[in-house]
Amino acid sequence: MAQVLRFAEERDLAVVPFGGGTSLVGGVDPLPGAHRAVLALSLERMVDPLAVDEVGRLARFQAGIRGPELERYLSERGFTLGHFPQSFERSTIGGWVSTRSSGEAVRREGELSQWLRGLTVVTPRGILRFEEPLPEAAGPDPFALFPGSEGSLGVIVEVTVAVRRKPEETLYRGTLFPNWEAGVEAGRELAQGHLPPFLFRLTDSEGTALTLEGRGPGPGLSGRVRERIEPRYLEFKHFDPGTMCLALQGWEGTPEEVSLSEREARRVTREHGGMDLGRAFTEFWRRERFAFPHLRDDLVEAGWMVETFETAAAWSEVTGVALGVRQALEERARAGRWALLVATHLSHVTVSGAVLNFQLIAPRDPEDAPGQAQALVQAGLEAVMKAGGKFSHHLGVGRDRLNLLASQRSPVETTLLASLKRALDPRGVLNPGKTLSLEEGPSNPPKGS
Amino acid sequence: MAQVLRFAEERDLAVVPFGGGTSLVGGVDPLPGAHRAVLALSLERMVDPLAVDEVGRLARFQAGIRGPELERYLSERGFTLGHFPQSFERSTIGGWVSTRSSGEAVRREGELSQWLRGLTVVTPRGILRFEEPLPEAAGPDPFALFPGSEGSLGVIVEVTVAVRRKPEETLYRGTLFPNWEAGVEAGRELAQGHLPPFLFRLTDSEGTALTLEGRGPGPGLSGRVRERIEPRYLEFKHFDPGTMCLALQGWEGTPEEVSLSEREARRVTREHGGMDLGRAFTEFWRRERFAFPHLRDDLVEAGWMVETFETAAAWSEVTGVALGVRQALEERARAGRWALLVATHLSHVTVSGAVLNFQLIAPRDPEDAPGQAQALVQAGLEAVMKAGGKFSHHLGVGRDRLNLLASQRSPVETTLLASLKRALDPRGVLNPGKTLSLEEGPSNPPKGS
C-alpha cells in the first residue's frame, strides 16, 4: 500500500480509496484535482479477519470487509459488532471509519467511538498504528483525526473493534403517537432514562402516511396493525391520521433486560399518548431496515429524484430544526414549481440530542434534474444550519457538501486542518477536491515541493 | 485571553495555563523553554457556570471551576456530571479536559469523551469553538485534539458537558477475593455483562494488607468487617491472608436498577470465590475516596517517597502487566538498596480492558531522593511498555514523562503533532518543554518566524 502511494506521488496521480462505493455525497468520485489522472484504490481483496481476542472482546479486520461477512465471522464465535448502517449490505468497515458512519442503533450513544479501538493507516509519509483498548492520556491523540477523514489523510487498511456477546433476545414494537411532539418527548425521556431501547425511530406524519398507506403488494403489515390503523378505530381513539406519527422501538439483551426495558418503554409511550401496535413490527423491520437503498435505486430508475440528508441536533433544537427544514424545502419546491414529498425521521436518540434524517422524493425535473436536487438539498442544509443543527451526522462530506463544510470552518480551523493535510499528504494525492484538500489551506505550497 | 497570548508572543514569554495545580507529572512547572520568562496564566477567577439546558441535559462552565463547586451547582438543579478523579476537590474542569482525566467511576466506559460536548479554546492563532451534542461526520474533527493537549495547543476557557439526573440511590459493597486472578476475572465478567457496577476497584494483596491492617485510630472499618477478616474466620473460609484481595464495588441509579445490578454482581462475585464484606464499606469509601492526595502530602512531609503511575491494558494483558511491573520495581529497589512497598489497583473496568494504578511508597533515599523516585518510576513504566501496556492512562505527560512519550511516537506521528503545534502556536509560547513542544518537530523554524 505504501508503494502504491509512492507510485502515485512519483507519477502525479490522485488516489481515491474505494471500499463499498456507497457514498451518497460523491465521496468516491474520480476527481484528479491538480494531478494528471486518478487511481481508484480498491480494497475489495483486503477482506480478511486478522485476529479475535475472545477474552478482551477485540477483533481486528482488514478494512475492505463488508458488513455481512464481518457479522457472519463474529457470529460464528458468539459475538457481534452491532453496527448496522443502512448501507450495511454493501459498505465496508474501512468505509464506516473513514466516513464516521453511524449505525441504526443507539448503542452506547450510537457512535463509532464506542467500538473503534484501533487503526492502521497508510499515509504518503509513513504508516500510523493505533491500538487503544482504553482511552489514553498521552498527549493530543492523532488517532481521533482519522474517523471522518474520508480518505484525505491516509488509507485505512486495518481496523480493531470492540465486540460483544450476541444478544440472547431482540424485540421490536411499533407505536403510534398522536403527533410529532409527543413522539419526540417520549424518545427523549427514554434516551435520558435508565434502560433505553437500543432502537427508537420516529417518522413524521408524512412519512407515516407513506409507510402505512403506500405499501404495494407482498408481505406487509400484519392484520392486527391493519385493524388498529382503520379510520374508525383511530377516530374512536381520538387519533388524527393527519398528524399521527409511527415509531419503531427495539430492545436487546438477556430476556430479563429486554423485559425490563420494554416495560419501561411501554409506560413512557402510554404517558405520551402513544398506542401500541404490537410486536408484529419485528418482521416488518427486519425486511425494511436495509430496503431504502434498493427502493432508492428503483425510484431513480423510474424517473424520480430521491435525495437524503441528515443532521444532529440538541434536544432543545430538534423540533425547531425539523420545522425549519420542512418550511425551507417547501418554499424552494414552490419556487421551482416542483411537487415534493418530504419524510422526516428522528433516530439515534441519545442523552444530549438526536439525529434528524430527511428523505426528499419528487418527480424529476426534465429540464434540470441535477439543479433540482442540488437546490433542494442546499435549501434544506442551509435551514439546518440556521436553526442551530450541524450539516452532517452520518453521510459525510465528500464532494457534494464541501462548500457547506468550508462555510462552517473558522479560519483557524482551516489553517489547522490544512497543516494536517500537508504533514501527511504534502503533494495532495489523496482524494483531492473533497473533504480536505491542499488547496483549502491559507497557503498553497508549490507543486512537488 | 487572546490579548494575553498576543502579549506573550510580543514579549517572548512562555505561557503556562494554571487550573487547580494538581498535576503529578510536572504539567504546570514554570519552564521557559527558549523564551525570556514564564507567565503563569491562572484561571482561578474563571469559575462561573454559564448555561444549563435542562431539556437537553447540557451545561456550560468557565474552565476554572473546581469539582465541588461544579457538582454543587448541578446538584441544586437535580443533576450531576459524575466525574470524580482523585484530585476532585482541587482540580478544575479545564484541567480535566486538558489532561484527559478519568474519574473513579466506570460511567459508560469511564471516559471524558462520554460527557464532553463542547469546548472554547483560545490559541495564539485564533479562537476555536466546538459544540457537538452528538458526534458529527463533517471531516476530520479538530475537537478531538484538545483533550490531552495539556495547554500545549491553546487555553481551554469554556467547557460544555452532558449532565444526568442525580442517581436516586448509590450503594457500595466490599468483597474479598481469594487472590488477584479471581478478582480480575470477576471484574472482567461484570464489565462485559449487562448492568455493570459503576465502580469496581480491586486492590492487590499488598495493598489489601495495607488497607485492612494499616489503619490508625479514628472511624475505620466496621465491626462486621473486622469479624470477617479475623485470622480464624479467614482460615475457616480457606482464605489466605497473604494472597487475598479487597475489592470495592458500587452501583447507582433507580432503586430497581441498583437492586438488579447488585444482585448480578453478588452472583458473579460468589462464582469467583469472593466473600461479601457487606455495605459497611459505603461510609469507608466516602471518606477514603479523595484521601490519598492528602495522605501523600503527609507522608512526603514525614520523609517518605510517594509516587504513583498508571496504565491501561487490554484484558488479556492485565495480569501480565501487573506482574511485570512489580518484578521490575522490586529488582530496581534491590539494586538501589531501597525498601519499597508497591500497591497495585485495578479500576475503570471496561468491556475491552482496565486501568492498573501503582502506588510506590519507600523511605526517602537521603543521598538522592529525586534520583530514587525517577529511577523507580522509569523502571515501572518501561516494564509497562514491555508488557504491552500504555504508559499513561490518566495522569498525563507533563514534564516528567516527555522522554517516554517521545519514545512511543513514530516519526510520522511526531511530524503530524509538530505540524499541529506550528499551526496553532507557531512561536511555541504555550507550555514549552512538556507534552508538545516546537522543538520536538523534525524541523525547528527560526525563532520569531
Side-chain angles (χ1 to χ4, degrees):
Chain A
M1 188 62 73
Q3 282 177 328
V4 172
L5 296 186
R6 257 197 304 280
F7 176 82
E9 284 197 329
E10 284 164 14
R11 305 292 173 98
D12 193 20
L13 302 172
V15 176
V16 179
F18 193 95
T22 58
S23 174
L24 294 177
V25 292
V28 291
D29 287 4
L31 305 183
H35 305 280
R36 288 194 304 132
V38 177
L39 197 153
L41 182 54
S42 169
L43 282 90
E44 70 182 331
R45 292 203 189 156
M46 296 182 66
V47 297
D48 289 339
L50 296 172
V52 61
D53 167 1
E54 301 200 0
V55 172
R57 305 218 175 153
L58 294 166
R60 194 153 51 88
F61 296 93
Q62 285 190 312
I65 193 170
R66 286 166 199 249
E69 285 73 37
L70 180 144
E71 281 292 341
R72 194 171 311 132
Y73 173 82
L74 291 175
S75 180
E76 284 163 5
R77 285 151 185 84
F79 293 106
T80 180
L81 172 60
H83 184 74
F84 297 108
Q86 212 169 37
S87 63
F88 175 78
E89 293 177 338
R90 305 182 193 173
S91 56
T92 65
I93 192 169
W96 300 345
V97 174
S98 77
T99 59
R100 220 182 324 174
S101 139
S102 293
E104 94 193 2
V106 189
R107 186 192 166 197
R108 293 180 260 143
E109 304 279 322
E111 227 285 79
L112 199 81
S113 66
Q114 303 302 327
W115 53 257
L116 182 63
R117 293 291 183 275
L119 279 183
T120 302
V121 188
V122 181
T123 80
R125 283 301 162 268
I127 297 177
L128 287 153
R129 284 180 214 281
F130 306 101
E131 290 296 333
E132 302 189 5
L134 268 76
E136 287 165 32
D141 193 351
F143 184 15
L145 290 168
F146 292 91
S149 62
E150 302 186 21
S152 65
L153 295 176
V155 183
I156 294 170
V157 293
E158 288 178 21
V159 182
T160 303
V161 298
V163 297
R164 57 195 167 119
R165 284 251 161 251
K166 272 196 291 191
E168 293 172 37
E169 203 175 299
T170 306
L171 186 70
Y172 301 92
R173 288 193 100 92
T175 308
L176 269 184
F177 286 98
N179 53 52
W180 173 257
E181 289 75 12
V184 170
E185 278 305 292
R188 178 171 77 84
E189 194 173 327
L190 286 168
Q192 293 180 343
H194 67 293
L195 300 170
F198 86 93
L199 178 78
F200 184 95
R201 193 166 185 276
L202 178 72
T203 303
D204 71 353
S205 50
E206 286 75 2
T208 298
L210 198 70
T211 306
L212 296 182
E213 295 161 19
R215 293 287 138 199
L221 299 169
S222 80
R224 188 167 169 219
V225 175
R226 292 233 165 270
E227 273 166 34
R228 298 220 153 180
I229 59 171
E230 275 292 304
R232 284 186 54 190
Y233 186 79
L234 289 173
E235 202 184 327
F236 168 68
K237 284 284 190 180
H238 304 293
F239 264 66
D240 178 352
T243 65
M244 68 186 189
C245 292
L246 182 66
L248 189 75
Q249 304 186 42
W251 304 271
E252 61 175 26
T254 61
E256 189 187 31
E257 213 179 349
V258 167
S259 130
L260 271 168
S261 49
E262 188 196 11
R263 204 200 315 156
E264 171 70 1
R266 295 184 70 175
R267 185 188 65 74
V268 171
T269 298
R270 268 196 310 276
E271 271 184 21
H272 292 276
M275 182 205 300
D276 182 33
L277 295 180
R279 297 186 182 177
F281 268 78
T282 307
E283 271 318 301
F284 178 71
W285 173 247
R286 286 222 175 100
R287 219 173 37 245
E288 296 287 315
R289 62 199 292 196
F290 304 129
F292 186 73
H294 302 289
L295 176 66
R296 181 177 179 273
D297 292 350
D298 293 348
L299 283 169
V300 168
E301 211 162 297
W304 294 75
M305 180 213 83
V306 184
E307 286 291 334
T308 177
F309 62 89
E310 81 299 314
T311 180
W315 280 116
S316 50
E317 290 160 357
V318 158
T319 293
V321 171
L323 287 176
V325 169
R326 170 170 295 280
Q327 208 172 355
L329 288 172
E330 285 170 355
E331 267 170 34
R332 190 64 193 83
R334 266 196 303 277
R337 295 168 184 263
W338 301 312
L340 175 68
L341 191 142
V342 183
T344 309
H345 304 274
L346 179 93
S347 59
H348 296 95
V349 293
T350 75
V351 171
S352 310
V355 169
L356 287 165
N357 180 279
F358 301 91
Q359 288 176 351
L360 282 52
I361 304 180
R364 203 184 291 151
D365 188 326
E367 319 243 303
D368 180 15
Q372 175 193 27
Q374 209 202 325
L376 286 168
V377 171
Q378 181 88 15
L381 291 175
E382 278 168 10
V384 160
M385 291 190 272
K386 208 171 126 194
K390 297 298 175 78
F391 83 92
S392 186
H393 176 260
H394 59 259
L395 296 181
V397 179
R399 170 190 197 163
D400 300 353
R401 298 181 180 185
L402 187 55
N403 59 339
L404 286 161
L405 180 64
S407 76
Q408 284 206 326
R409 285 179 184 155
S410 65
V412 56
E413 205 171 339
T414 304
T415 306
L416 181 59
L417 289 169
S419 77
L420 284 176
K421 176 75 174 171
R422 274 198 301 274
L424 295 179
D425 179 24
R427 303 201 182 180
V429 296
L430 285 168
N431 225 354
K434 295 173 199 150
T435 314
L436 196 59
S437 295
L438 271 188
E439 293 71 31
E440 254 184 310
S443 68
N444 195 349
K447 210 175 126 188
S449 68
Chain B
M1 188 62 74
Q3 281 177 329
V4 172
L5 297 186
R6 256 197 306 280
F7 176 83
E9 284 197 329
E10 285 164 15
R11 306 293 173 97
D12 193 20
L13 301 173
V15 176
V16 179
F18 194 95
T22 58
S23 174
L24 294 177
V25 292
V28 291
D29 287 4
L31 305 183
H35 304 280
R36 289 194 304 132
V38 177
L39 196 153
L41 182 54
S42 170
L43 283 90
E44 70 182 331
R45 292 203 189 156
M46 296 183 67
V47 297
D48 289 339
L50 296 173
V52 61
D53 167 1
E54 301 201 1
V55 172
R57 305 217 175 154
L58 294 166
R60 193 153 51 88
F61 296 93
Q62 285 190 311
I65 192 169
R66 285 166 199 249
E69 285 73 36
L70 179 143
E71 281 292 342
R72 194 172 311 131
Y73 173 82
L74 291 175
S75 180
E76 284 163 5
R77 285 151 186 83
F79 294 106
T80 180
L81 172 60
H83 184 75
F84 297 108
Q86 212 169 37
S87 62
F88 175 79
E89 293 177 338
R90 306 182 193 173
S91 56
T92 64
I93 192 169
W96 300 345
V97 174
S98 78
T99 59
R100 220 183 324 175
S101 139
S102 292
E104 93 193 3
V106 189
R107 186 192 166 198
R108 292 180 261 144
E109 304 278 322
E111 228 284 79
L112 199 80
S113 65
Q114 304 302 327
W115 53 257
L116 182 63
R117 294 291 183 274
L119 280 182
T120 302
V121 188
V122 181
T123 81
R125 283 301 163 267
I127 297 176
L128 286 153
R129 284 181 213 281
F130 306 100
E131 290 296 334
E132 302 189 5
L134 268 77
E136 287 165 33
D141 193 351
F143 184 16
L145 290 168
F146 292 91
S149 63
E150 302 185 21
S152 65
L153 296 176
V155 183
I156 294 170
V157 293
E158 287 179 20
V159 182
T160 303
V161 298
V163 297
R164 57 196 166 118
R165 284 251 161 251
K166 272 197 291 191
E168 293 171 38
E169 203 174 299
T170 305
L171 187 71
Y172 301 93
R173 287 193 100 92
T175 308
L176 269 183
F177 287 98
N179 53 52
W180 173 258
E181 289 75 13
V184 170
E185 278 306 292
R188 179 172 76 84
E189 193 173 328
L190 285 168
Q192 293 180 343
H194 67 292
L195 299 170
F198 86 92
L199 178 79
F200 184 95
R201 193 167 185 276
L202 177 72
T203 302
D204 72 353
S205 51
E206 285 75 2
T208 298
L210 198 70
T211 305
L212 295 183
E213 295 161 18
R215 293 287 138 199
L221 298 169
S222 80
R224 186 166 172 222
V225 175
R226 293 233 165 269
E227 274 165 33
R228 299 220 153 179
I229 60 171
E230 275 292 303
R232 284 186 53 190
Y233 186 79
L234 289 173
E235 202 184 326
F236 167 68
K237 284 284 190 180
H238 304 292
F239 264 66
D240 178 352
T243 64
M244 69 186 189
C245 292
L246 182 65
L248 189 75
Q249 304 186 43
W251 304 270
E252 61 175 26
T254 61
E256 189 186 31
E257 213 178 350
V258 167
S259 130
L260 270 168
S261 49
E262 188 197 10
R263 203 199 316 155
E264 171 70 2
R266 295 185 70 177
R267 186 188 65 74
V268 171
T269 298
R270 269 196 310 276
E271 271 184 21
H272 292 276
M275 182 205 300
D276 182 33
L277 295 179
R279 297 186 182 177
F281 268 78
T282 307
E283 270 318 300
F284 178 72
W285 174 247
R286 286 223 176 99
R287 220 173 36 246
E288 296 287 316
R289 62 198 294 196
F290 304 129
F292 186 73
H294 302 288
L295 176 66
R296 181 176 179 275
D297 292 350
D298 293 347
L299 283 169
V300 168
E301 211 161 297
W304 294 75
M305 180 213 83
V306 184
E307 286 292 334
T308 177
F309 62 89
E310 81 299 312
T311 179
W315 280 116
S316 51
E317 290 160 357
V318 159
T319 293
V321 171
L323 286 176
V325 169
R326 170 170 294 279
Q327 207 172 356
L329 288 172
E330 285 170 355
E331 267 170 34
R332 190 64 192 83
R334 268 196 301 277
R337 294 166 183 264
W338 301 312
L340 175 68
L341 191 141
V342 183
T344 308
H345 304 274
L346 179 93
S347 60
H348 296 96
V349 293
T350 75
V351 171
S352 310
V355 169
L356 287 164
N357 180 279
F358 301 91
Q359 288 176 351
L360 282 52
I361 304 180
R364 204 184 290 151
D365 188 327
E367 320 243 303
D368 180 15
Q372 175 194 27
Q374 209 202 325
L376 286 168
V377 172
Q378 181 88 14
L381 291 176
E382 277 168 10
V384 160
M385 291 190 271
K386 208 171 126 195
K390 297 298 175 78
F391 83 93
S392 186
H393 176 259
H394 60 259
L395 296 182
V397 179
R399 170 190 196 163
D400 300 353
R401 298 180 180 185
L402 187 55
N403 59 340
L404 286 160
L405 180 64
S407 77
Q408 284 206 327
R409 285 179 184 154
S410 65
V412 56
E413 205 170 339
T414 304
T415 307
L416 181 59
L417 289 168
S419 77
L420 282 176
K421 176 75 174 171
R422 274 199 301 274
L424 295 179
D425 179 24
R427 303 200 181 180
V429 296
L430 285 168
N431 224 354
K434 294 171 200 152
T435 314
L436 196 59
S437 295
L438 271 188
E439 293 71 30
E440 252 184 312
S443 69
N444 195 349
K447 210 175 128 189
S449 68

